[in-house]
Amino acid sequence: MLSVRDLTVHYGADPALESVSIEVTPNSTLAVMGESGSGKSTLLRAIAGLVSPTSGAIVWHGTDLAATPAYQRNFGLMFQDYALFPHLTVGENVAFGLRMAGVVAEERAEVATRYLDLVGLTGYSNRAVDELSGGEQQRVALARTLAAGPQLVLLDEPLGALDRSRRDQLLADMQRIFSASGITAVYVTHDHHEAFAVADHIAVLHEGKLIRHGVPEVIWADPQHTAVATLLGFPIATVEVQDGIGRLGAAAFPLALPNGTHPVAMGPGAITIDAAGDLPVTVVARRFEGGVTVAVIQAAGQELTAHAPHGVRLGRTGASVDPQLIRRLAA
Ligand code: ADP
Ligand code: MG
C-alpha cells in the first residue's frame, strides 16, 4: 500500500502541490488526472524520491520513505520519452537493470525474452533500438521497467507521443499486463480516455490540490467540480433555478438545486437537436464522431454542444434538454 499523506511541495514561493493525501491499494492502478501545470508530475516525482516534499510523507507499506533515496525505493519509472540506450540491442535494454544488479548473461537473456513476450515483442531481442517504431520503443521501455521487478510502477504521460491507434493498443495491453501481473501503478495523464482505460481509481489534481477521487464510473456520473467536468469534456451551462425548475433560455426541466443561478455540467446527450424542442439554438459547427454527430450550438447566450442527427444543417433550429444527463456541480 502506498500512502501519500498531506503532501506539500514548493519549488519557489508558491506550492506546486498542497496537502495532497491519497492511497494506492496493492495490485491496483491509480490514474492521476489534471490539466497541464496541476502538479501531476510533481506528485509522481515526490513518490519516486526525485523531489523533496516541503511537508507531509510518502509511506510505503507502513514505512516513511523520507530517508530512502530514489535509487533504493525499487520503484519503476516510465516517461513519455523512451530513454532507451541506442547502442544496446532491444534485449540488452530490457535487461539493463539486471546487468547493473550483477545477474549473469544467460539469465538476463531469459528475463528479456519473457518480458518482450509479455509486451507483444516476441523475437525482438536482437533488434537494434533505432529500427523500431515509436510504439515498439515504448513497449521496450515498458518491458525494461517491468523486468527490473519494481514494487511500484510510476508512469508519467507514457503514451503522449504515440498516435491514437497505437496508444489504444498499448493501453489495452498495459491494463491486461498490470492486472495479470498484480502490478501496483500510478499513471499520470491529462487524458480521461487514457485514465479510464487503465485505472481502477482516479485522482484529479487542480492547481496543486486533490479535488476529486474515486472509481471512474462515479467520477463520470458525478464530477462535482467544474474543473473535473471540463477535463471530462462536458460543457458547463449556466441555469436559473426557481422552486425545483431549471431554466436554460426557454427550456424548463426539473432540477433539484436551490433557487438561484448555477453552473451545471452537460453530460453527453443532455441537449439533443430536435426541431420541435423548446430550446431555440443556432448550430454553428458540427463534427462527426462515428456513432454520433456533435453540434456546437449557441443557446441562451451560451456556447454548448448537442447530439444531432447526422448531417445536421448549420443555422437556427430547436433542441430538447434531458435533465437526467445534467450533472449538478458543487458551488
Ligand atoms: P503537470 O505535470 O500537471 O503539468 P507539474 O507538476 O509539472 O504539473 O507542475 C506543477 C507546477 O509546478 C507548475 O506551476 C510548474 O510550472 C511548477 N514547476 C514544475 N517543475 C518545476 C521546477 N523544476 N521548478 C519550478 N517550478 C516548477
Ligand atoms: Mg507533467
Side-chain angles (χ1 to χ4, degrees), residues 11 16 34-43 156 188:
Y11 292 106
E35 64 197 9
S36 181
S38 57
K40 305 181 296 296
S41 295
T42 300
L43 174 60
D156 195 346
V188 161

Side-chain angles (χ1 to χ4, degrees), residues 51-77:
V51 296
S52 303
T54 311
S55 59
I58 308 291
V59 179
W60 178 250
H61 292 308
T63 304
D64 187 331
L65 296 182
T68 309
Y71 68 94
Q72 283 177 352
R73 293 190 184 191
N74 191 22
F75 295 166
L77 290 163

